[in-house]
Amino acid sequence: MNETILNIYLVISNGLVAEFRAMAYEMEGGDDRKIEFLKSKAREDFNNAYKFDAPADKQGKFMSYNRFHKLEKRGMHFQLFEEIFSSFKVAEQPLVCVTPVVDGEIYSS
């Protein structure tokens, strides 16, 4: 059965999470195969990925990467991706590969 899987980019500029980007695929098979596929597409997908607003406070200031990392360690970072998930109409607990892009450099294996 096909599943929507996502490459999500965490665009970090000067230590702040300034933007999200995402690219979706329909794929079947095991999770390991899907993750390897997403990783293999990470560099080429970035420029064509859909752009999404990053979280900002009431003054319009972006979240620091350190704060994002604290949310990530507690498994709460997925709440920040809700707009992405609804845009691509993914099921609950979608399979995603999150790739940081720090000051223009894509960090993928």
Side-chain angles (χ1 to χ4, degrees), residues 34-89:
K34 292 173 187 172
I35 289 291
E36 285 305 313
F37 172 79
L38 290 173
K39 285 181 178 182
S40 75
K41 301 292 277 180
R43 288 193 181 277
E44 71 182 79
D45 280 352
F46 179 71
N47 288 325
N48 297 321
Y50 294 92
K51 295 179 182 182
F52 293 89
D53 292 334
D57 65 16
K58 292 176 184 171
Q59 289 81 35
K61 295 180 182 174
F62 292 124
M63 173 187 295
S64 72
Y65 175 70
N66 287 338
R67 182 158 181 223
F68 177 88
H69 183 66
K70 287 177 185 176
L71 290 172
E72 184 179 40
K73 285 185 356 186
R74 295 188 315 199
M76 298 175 66
H77 62 297
F78 284 102
Q79 296 171 1
L80 301 174
F81 302 147
E82 285 300 322
E83 180 184 3
I84 295 170
F85 296 159
S86 64
S87 291
F88 291 108
K89 298 177 176 69

